[in-house]
Amino acid sequence: MDSALEIIGLIFIGFVAGSINTIAGGGSLLTLPILIFLGLPPNIANGTNRIAILFQNIFTTAGFKSKGVITFPFSIYVGISALIGSLLGAQIAVHIKGDTFNKILAIIMVVIVVYMVFKSKSKLIDGIEKTAGKHLWLSIVLFFFVGVYGGFIQAGVGFIILLILSSVNGLTLVKSNAVKVIVVLIYTVASVAIFAYNDVIDWKVGLVLAIGNSAGGWFASRWSVKKGDGLVRKFLIVMVITMAIKLWFF
């Protein structure tokens, strides 16, 4: 990745992915296959993608905060639980074989597509937030497994987080997204450390991608997230099916 065109293209892809990650989730379903197609081994593509995710969520968190969306201390509690789980997931990802990783990623893509197709299109509505007591403890347990998955592969973790926050905690879409970016930011710090220690990060590619992801996250966090859900869902269904077929058969 030495030409100006490749750099600009990667930044653009990062911008799209950062926006998708912030609006709903699944941006890594775009960046991970692209990094692999650029020639990075799957485990290095996985580690490199975390650099972009880390910077994206720093800017996205700042964007939500600038709009007055505050999620503390609930987001910290579940974020710490996810961080612990991510340590296990990242260790698994570091040592997994490339072909196995590709097939796991393809299966996960198909599962998420099925989820997006059959998921109710009804909008989240304001209700009573359940972020204390038994609901808090249930979320802490669930977010440990979110961290395991996120530390392992990251792709599509946003959908899982939104599902938990809406069904268990009764949060609105805007607030769920604000919690999501803080949780991912917290556990990504640990994941990056593990990937870096095992030397499975291409720092140049990761930092270029991070420029786009950060810009996309900042823009989308300050934009009305409800306006983009339908378009994002349709775009992801087409893209994810294509990428899943490519990863599985080629």
Side-chain angles (χ1 to χ4, degrees):
M1 193 196 68
D2 296 320
S3 71
L5 185 60
E6 287 177 327
I7 293 173
I8 293 172
L10 192 58
I11 291 174
F12 174 75
I13 291 169
F15 180 87
V16 174
S19 300
I20 291 173
N21 280 334
T22 303
I23 294 171
S28 291
L29 295 173
L30 174 61
T31 55
L32 264 178
I34 291 297
L35 291 173
I36 293 171
F37 298 156
L38 284 175
L40 296 183
N43 61 335
I44 295 181
N46 192 14
T48 301
N49 187 55
R50 306 312 173 98
I51 300 300
I53 295 296
L54 178 63
F55 282 95
Q56 168 203 300
N57 284 287
I58 291 173
F59 280 84
T60 305
T61 298
F64 276 121
K65 187 176 180 181
S66 72
K67 289 297 185 179
V69 182
I70 308 298
T71 62
F72 303 106
F74 174 75
S75 56
I76 301 299
Y77 297 148
V78 294
I80 292 174
S81 177
L83 183 151
I84 296 171
S86 73
L87 296 174
L88 174 60
Q91 283 289 355
I92 296 172
V94 164
H95 300 292
I96 195 167
K97 294 181 180 179
D99 290 342
T100 304
F101 183 92
N102 280 354
K103 285 184 168 44
I104 292 174
L105 179 56
I107 292 171
I108 290 172
M109 284 181 171
V110 172
V111 170
I112 292 174
V113 166
V114 172
Y115 165 76
M116 287 189 292
V117 170
F118 292 101
K119 178 178 178 290
S120 171
K121 296 184 178 180
S122 62
K123 301 289 185 180
L124 291 176
I125 58 174
D126 292 337
I128 299 175
E129 293 185 2
K130 295 168 282 189
T131 57
K134 64 181 182 180
H135 294 95
L136 171 60
W137 287 107
L138 176 58
S139 296
I140 288 174
V141 172
L142 292 175
F143 270 86
F144 169 81
F145 294 101
V146 167
V148 173
Y149 175 83
F152 172 64
I153 201 169
Q154 180 64 33
V157 71
F159 294 112
I160 301 172
I161 292 176
L162 291 178
L163 181 63
I164 293 173
L165 293 175
S166 61
S167 59
V168 175
N169 303 111
L171 300 185
T172 63
L173 182 59
V174 171
K175 204 157 189 178
S176 293
N177 275 320
V179 172
K180 177 188 69 182
V181 298
I182 294 175
V183 169
V184 176
L185 173 60
I186 291 173
Y187 79 65
T188 299
V189 173
S191 298
V192 166
I194 292 176
F195 282 110
Y197 177 79
N198 287 275
D199 196 26
V200 288
I201 293 177
D202 186 318
W203 290 95
K204 179 182 177 181
V205 174
L207 290 173
V208 170
L209 184 62
I211 295 172
N213 275 64
S214 299
W218 171 261
F219 169 78
S221 64
R222 293 174 56 83
W223 188 51
S224 175
V225 296
K226 293 182 180 180
K227 293 182 179 180
D229 289 357
L231 178 62
V232 170
R233 185 181 295 108
K234 293 175 183 177
F235 172 78
L236 281 175
I237 288 172
V238 174
M239 180 274 296
V240 170
I241 290 175
T242 302
M243 295 299 183
I245 293 172
K246 176 71 175 179
L247 283 170
W248 186 269
F249 292 105
F250 304 99

